[in-house]
Amino acid sequence: MRILYLALSYIPSRRASSVQVMKMCSALARRGHEVVLVAKRGEDTGIDDHAFYCVEPNFTVDKVTRPKRRGGGFVYALGMAARVATRRRWADLVYCRDQIGTMIASQSRIPLVWEAHGVPQTRWRRAAIAHAVSRPQARGIVSISEALRDDLIAERIAPPDRPIVISRDACDPPTNPVRPRPPTRRPVVGYVGHLYPGRGIDLIYALAAKLPHLTFRLVGGNESDLTHWRVGQPSNVELLGFRRQAELPALYATMDIVLMPYAKRGILSETRGVDTSRWTSPMKMFEYMASGAAIVSSDLPVLREVLVEGKHALYAPADDLGRWQAAIEQLVADDELRVRLATTAMRALEEHYTWDARAAQVMVGLGLESA
């Protein structure tokens, strides 16, 4: 099958959405499909795009310039529409990672799929998406969580006669074995991700002050966020900044415990600042499952769709510092528990949440491939 994949992501960029797009395109290509990704042209890093994301060069990236001025988004949408028109006789399927691409693709007669990462935030967008996914050529919807599927149905966006496949985000297969921490090494508590509001960095700083005998290693953040958090940085906190995908396994191998301290209502989308805490399927969670470290997470219902308490992770209320401290201290003191949680999480990832498993789940679930 020839798949035209439309995304609003900049390639390359530091955003998790761009990682998700590149990993998914590569997984679809590994299933024998010919894939062309249409995305925004990012800043030149001097590194090949496929190498930057640590993916095989088994698909094509067609980058369209998005002018950095008012109206630039409209210019990019026109460029995306031109790609759809140019490839209308080539493509067997348009896979849309965003709402704008879905609206554009629905004007063609090419079969299309919308992968939903949130409920459209305005009335006109909800109406436009509902119209697009009910068109005759629409093959169905991919939802990243059960909660999002339920909201799409409640908002009457998802048509009742098309399939909705729940397919959460994913990660590459694990590379780090789970092993007890050497008794001579200082315990390391890790965090990998953005540093902007809603990510719980203030909670991590509070924990570092309470647990001075532990090292807190934070990976990620742009320069402005790093500058902000360097003010009042505890002596046992390391701010390592952004690291490419290829560098993450070695960093995860240094961590004993990893944290997902999301605020109860504060997981903001990368572009529009929309709270996605009800629907999220964070890639961080799946990277953590593959890391070989034990997970402590905020207790959000959507995360319980994947992580079973006491089996894959420990949970703590987002605003209860004492519970977070107790969970970390328990894992530091009980190496057997830490190894057991990390091992079961890693096995669940291997069995259900790799990119290859996700691509198969989507294509078979929508009837685009046979089981």
Side-chain angles (χ1 to χ4, degrees):
M1 182 177 289
R2 292 179 296 238
I3 300 175
L4 186 63
Y5 197 115
L6 305 182
L8 292 181
S9 302
Y10 284 94
I11 303 295
S13 81
R14 300 183 178 188
R15 292 175 176 171
S17 59
S18 73
V19 177
Q20 199 258 10
V21 163
M22 292 291 283
K23 296 287 187 179
M24 192 62 183
C25 285
S26 185
L28 288 168
R30 281 194 296 274
R31 295 190 65 78
H33 302 295
E34 186 177 350
V35 180
V36 174
L37 167 64
V38 177
K40 296 173 184 172
R41 185 181 304 279
E43 297 293 333
D44 184 16
T45 63
I47 303 171
D48 174 78
D49 291 329
H50 296 88
F52 183 88
Y53 291 97
C54 206
V55 299
E56 301 169 58
N58 56 357
F59 64 97
T60 301
V61 182
D62 183 358
K63 293 190 279 191
V64 182
T65 299
R66 195 277 193 199
K68 294 184 177 179
R69 56 176 171 79
R70 187 173 183 179
F74 179 70
V75 173
Y76 176 72
L78 288 177
M80 184 187 287
R83 269 34 177 213
V84 173
T86 299
R87 294 183 179 271
R88 68 185 183 279
R89 298 184 184 278
W90 172 87
D92 300 308
L93 178 73
V94 183
Y95 193 103
C96 305
R97 168 61 171 74
D98 63 87
Q99 298 166 24
I100 298 297
T102 306
M103 290 182 241
I104 290 172
S106 70
Q107 301 307 305
S108 73
R109 295 183 179 181
I110 309 170
L112 71 90
V113 170
W114 175 42
E115 181 173 307
H117 287 249
V119 174
Q121 293 299 297
T122 61
R123 181 179 297 178
W124 78 264
R125 282 203 180 204
R126 288 193 290 274
I129 289 294
H131 175 72
V133 297
S134 63
R135 299 266 291 177
Q137 70 269 32
R139 294 295 181 260
I141 296 172
V142 178
S143 171
I144 59 168
S145 66
E146 295 175 18
L148 177 55
R149 175 204 58 193
D150 294 345
D151 284 359
L152 292 173
I153 294 172
E155 293 286 344
R156 298 184 179 180
I157 295 171
D161 61 340
R162 310 296 161 88
I164 303 177
V165 174
I166 298 171
S167 189
R168 299 166 180 90
D169 275 328
C171 183
D172 292 325
T175 57
N176 293 326
V178 179
R179 60 171 64 92
R181 178 181 60 83
T184 56
R185 180 167 66 75
R186 180 182 171 104
V188 176
V189 180
Y191 170 88
V192 179
H194 290 290
L195 306 183
Y196 51 69
R199 298 290 160 154
I201 309 306
D202 49 351
L203 175 64
I204 293 176
Y205 271 37
L207 287 166
K210 292 281 189 180
L211 301 166
H213 58 294
L214 307 181
T215 295
F216 287 76
R217 187 162 292 152
L218 279 62
V219 179
N222 59 36
E223 287 307 314
S224 62
D225 291 329
L226 291 167
T227 298
H228 170 79
W229 290 110
R230 287 187 184 114
V231 177
Q233 178 182 349
S235 60
N236 59 333
V237 170
E238 301 174 358
L239 294 173
L240 302 187
F242 173 76
R243 294 291 187 271
R244 292 189 297 112
Q245 286 286 303
E247 301 174 79
L248 294 182
L251 289 167
Y252 277 125
T254 69
M255 301 173 184
D256 304 296
I257 301 164
V258 285
L259 306 181
M260 288 202 301
Y262 293 127
K264 188 174 182 180
R265 291 188 58 81
I267 304 179
L268 304 181
S269 68
E270 298 170 312
T271 54
R272 295 182 178 273
V274 176
D275 180 16
T276 62
S277 55
R278 174 171 166 77
W279 317 308
T280 189
S281 179
M283 284 181 53
K284 182 203 319 294
M285 173 169 61
F286 300 100
E287 286 188 359
Y288 281 6
M289 292 172 73
S291 71
I295 302 169
V296 183
S297 173
S298 292
D299 192 0
L300 301 181
V302 70
L303 302 181
R304 287 181 176 268
E305 292 183 14
V306 175
L307 299 176
V308 177
E309 184 170 21
K311 181 178 181 181
H312 305 122
L314 298 182
Y315 282 107
D319 56 355
D320 191 333
L321 177 63
R323 290 277 295 277
W324 280 87
Q325 180 179 346
I328 292 170
E329 289 178 329
Q330 181 182 7
L331 291 172
V332 170
D334 190 340
D335 206 43
E336 182 180 350
L337 173 62
R338 184 193 70 77
V339 169
R340 176 167 57 80
L341 291 177
T343 300
T344 55
M346 184 178 285
R347 286 175 181 165
L349 185 286
E350 290 175 315
E351 293 173 4
H352 304 293
Y353 301 115
T354 64
W355 292 113
D356 286 339
R358 186 177 197 268
Q361 182 183 46
V362 167
M363 298 302 284
V364 173
L366 293 174
L368 300 169
E369 293 181 13
S370 58

